[in-house]
Amino acid sequence: MALRPVQVNIKALDTSTVDRFWAEALGWSAYSLGVVTYVGPAGGVVWPHPDAVCVDVIPVPEAKTTTKNRTHLDLATTSAAHQAELVARLKAVGATPADVGQGDVPWTVLADPEGNEFCVLEPREIYWDTGPIAAVVVDCADPRAMARFWGEAMDWTLHEVTDDHAVLRSAKGVGPYLEFLRTPDAKTVPDRIHLDLLPYPGDDKAAEVARLRTLGATDLDIGQGDVPWTCLAEPEGHEFCVLAPS
């Protein structure tokens, strides 16, 4: 029994602006699926995608607060010229420079049109085969504890763990990394961006949710009502959802 992350869920006041932005940022397509928009590789909706963790944009009535998101995306580039071109192109479609205390670093920190921070990385060999999303990055207090929880929750492989950093990736060696970075800030507001996990075909969703609770997850009520997915929080309070198999 295990789960896999299938999408990054981004809340938005203006879904049409946010989904267009992320489609441009990732070089993917935006597919309207009722009230939500799925941003994934071109060629039609493939869900779950076998090689990518895609983006799901959902409408909410609240704007992002000024508090920095504790989950963000790192975008991969293949050369210095590619990095500069991507930064310029994203600024042209609504990205703005963001200062999260990064100082003088080789990557560029930007925010999407609703203020969600993300990074355009300088070329790094480790990310050459990830696709446009190099990593989903989560701020945390204890990377070792996060590695234990997420390593048990999912079937991804733990690549590195230290007091300051933990790194996981699909055992198939495809798609982005999931990285946990030790930060001094505590979680104070609901997550604007979170992961959605999915059981494998034939696995029991209720059993998976029960297993997560034994690992330290807790039930979360965000006003979702009667829905087919289950909202949970991991041991440091970051929200995530377990989706129902289609």
Side-chain angles (χ1 to χ4, degrees), residues 5-8 26 28 39 49 51-55 133 136 156 175-176 195:
V6 292
Q7 59 199 28
V8 177
L26 302 173
W28 288 350
V39 180
H49 198 281
D51 300 326
V53 175
C54 297
V55 170
I133 301 176
V136 180
W156 281 22
L195 282 172

Side-chain angles (χ1 to χ4, degrees), residues 5 36-37 63 66 78 87 89 113 118 121 136 139 157 167 181 184-185 189-190 199 210 228 234:
V36 305
T37 303
T66 57
T78 56
V87 168
R89 180 158 50 87
F118 65 97
L121 301 181
V136 180
D139 294 348
T157 299
V167 180
L181 298 181
D185 305 317
V189 297
E234 42 93 295

Side-chain angles (χ1 to χ4, degrees), residues 9-16 18 35-36 56-65 114 116 190-194 222:
N9 189 299
I10 300 178
K11 299 174 183 174
L13 270 176
D14 182 350
T15 56
S16 62
V18 172
V35 297
V36 305
D56 198 44
V57 182
I58 64 166
V60 294
E62 308 88 4
K64 180 185 180 293
T65 70
E114 292 201 356
N116 298 300
D191 291 325
R192 198 76 178 173
I193 298 175
H194 70 257
I222 54 173

Side-chain angles (χ1 to χ4, degrees), residues 17-42:
T17 296
V18 172
D19 62 45
R20 284 196 304 269
F21 176 85
W22 284 104
E24 178 70 25
L26 302 173
W28 288 350
S29 298
Y31 305 98
S32 178
L33 303 175
V35 297
V36 305
T37 303
Y38 180 73
V39 180

